[in-house]
Amino acid sequence: MTQPSNKDPFLLLKEKKSAGEIISSLTAYDYPTGRLLDEAGIDFILVGDSLGMVFAGLEDTTGVTIEHMIYHTQVVARGVKNALLGADLPYHSYRTPDEALENAQRLMEAGADAVKLEGGTSQIDKVCHLTQHGIPMIGHIGMLPQRVREEGGYKKKGRTQDDAERLLRSAKDLQQAGVGAIVLESVVPEVAAEITRSLKIPTIGIGAGSDCDGQIRVIHDLLGAYPWFRPPFATVYADFAGDLEKAAHSYIKEIQ
Ligand code: KIV
């Protein structure tokens, strides 16, 4: 079993929050992407279970297994030297605290510096169990993609006073349980800003407005590499799909 290190893997992220500097974060699922993002100076690289959709072509993330996550964490870890490397516990891999611990340890052995699971107050027993066993943890609240089927779609969170209070409570519970950072996904911007102000640990937003301590995006959205679906909040900086198609046509022409 990998021994927990004494060094706080979230130190840079916390320092950036204190200094008011934005934390940069992107997902990666393969070695070249992990290495290139690391060399580009991204602070936090996440092997997200979004790989089920943008890498594997599944309808949502619920088909991703712990074995998929271990494999992708291993290949990305080979290329990442400086960034914090996070990995997701996939759907149904943390049904009990002991199952969560066993699978989190497997992700750490695969090369992750920290592990993320979805959910706030309702998952606190698992988060506490993991942090007490020395697993550096990242929280994830707001829209939870692993619950998309139960919820009947991807919906913005924090629209009502009750929901906003529930999210703030969850964020504080996660902080208390020892997570080093929290992802806020599809949260009303004013609510995300309030959560960010209320916490000592950094928040990393996606579809949650600009007043979070950092921003995370799915790498395929940034690169234009998954043209069949583009979330409205994602700025596209490249045309990977178009360039790939052009390169394929040029190659077909060349070898005729
Ligand atoms: O799976 C993922 O890529 C994520 C990010 C979108 C935060 O959880």
Side-chain angles (χ1 to χ4, degrees):
M1 197 184 95
T2 316
Q3 291 305 312
S5 132
N6 288 333
K7 193 173 162 271
D8 179 0
F10 297 103
L11 193 61
L12 175 73
L13 273 57
K14 288 176 184 166
E15 284 174 352
K16 284 203 152 188
K17 176 171 176 120
S18 304
E21 287 173 35
I22 291 289
I23 298 158
S24 58
S25 180
L26 286 167
T27 65
Y29 316 111
D30 57 62
Y31 170 81
T33 307
R35 182 168 170 178
L36 289 166
L37 294 183
D38 193 52
E39 290 173 359
I42 291 291
D43 299 316
F44 164 33
I45 296 173
L46 176 70
V47 185
D49 62 353
S50 49
L51 65 83
M53 299 163 83
V54 297
F55 174 86
L58 297 171
E59 201 180 315
D60 56 45
T61 61
T62 62
V64 178
T65 66
I66 188 68
E67 281 71 29
H68 296 147
M69 293 307 302
I70 289 168
Y71 175 72
H72 285 275
T73 302
Q74 282 168 341
V75 301
V76 175
R78 240 168 254 145
V80 175
K81 302 276 174 282
N82 299 306
L84 170 73
L85 181 63
D88 272 344
L89 276 169
Y91 188 58
H92 278 180
S93 72
Y94 51 99
R95 286 166 292 192
T96 64
D98 284 341
E99 184 182 45
L101 180 59
E102 188 190 323
N103 285 323
Q105 282 168 337
R106 294 175 76 193
L107 291 175
M108 296 293 289
E109 276 160 23
D113 300 314
V115 170
K116 174 164 83 60
L117 62 72
E118 292 186 8
T121 307
S122 64
Q123 302 286 6
I124 286 303
D125 57 334
K126 291 156 199 167
V127 176
C128 284
H129 192 57
L130 269 59
T131 55
Q132 280 160 10
H133 281 83
I135 306 284
M137 290 296 300
I138 302 161
H140 183 153
I141 58 173
M143 168 59 210
L144 305 178
Q146 292 174 10
R147 298 209 192 139
V148 66
R149 294 186 184 202
E150 288 142 65
E151 299 208 349
Y154 296 94
K155 294 176 188 152
K156 200 84 173 171
K157 297 294 171 170
R159 286 190 194 279
T160 64
Q161 184 69 22
D162 276 1
D163 202 36
E165 280 167 16
R166 179 189 62 82
L167 288 171
L168 184 58
R169 180 77 270 140
S170 276
K172 287 183 175 171
D173 287 348
L174 286 168
Q175 174 172 265
Q176 178 74 25
V179 306
I182 303 182
V183 168
L184 304 179
E185 178 159 358
S186 289
V187 172
V188 169
E190 295 71 31
V191 178
E194 157 99 43
I195 294 172
T196 301
R197 277 193 301 273
S198 308
L199 297 183
K200 293 195 187 76
I201 55 168
T203 60
I204 317 283
I206 176 163
S210 55
D211 290 329
C212 299
D213 297 306
Q215 295 290 331
I216 183 165
R217 298 289 181 269
V218 168
I219 185 68
H220 287 59
D221 297 337
L222 194 88
L223 297 179
Y226 194 81
W228 309 281
F229 173 72
R230 283 185 184 145
F233 52 77
T235 311
V236 186
Y237 291 92
D239 181 19
F240 184 86
D243 286 348
L244 186 150
E245 213 177 329
K246 271 191 229 147
H249 288 151
S250 302
Y251 170 69
I252 292 167
K253 221 164 131 193
E254 183 208 333
I255 60 168
Q256 294 305 311

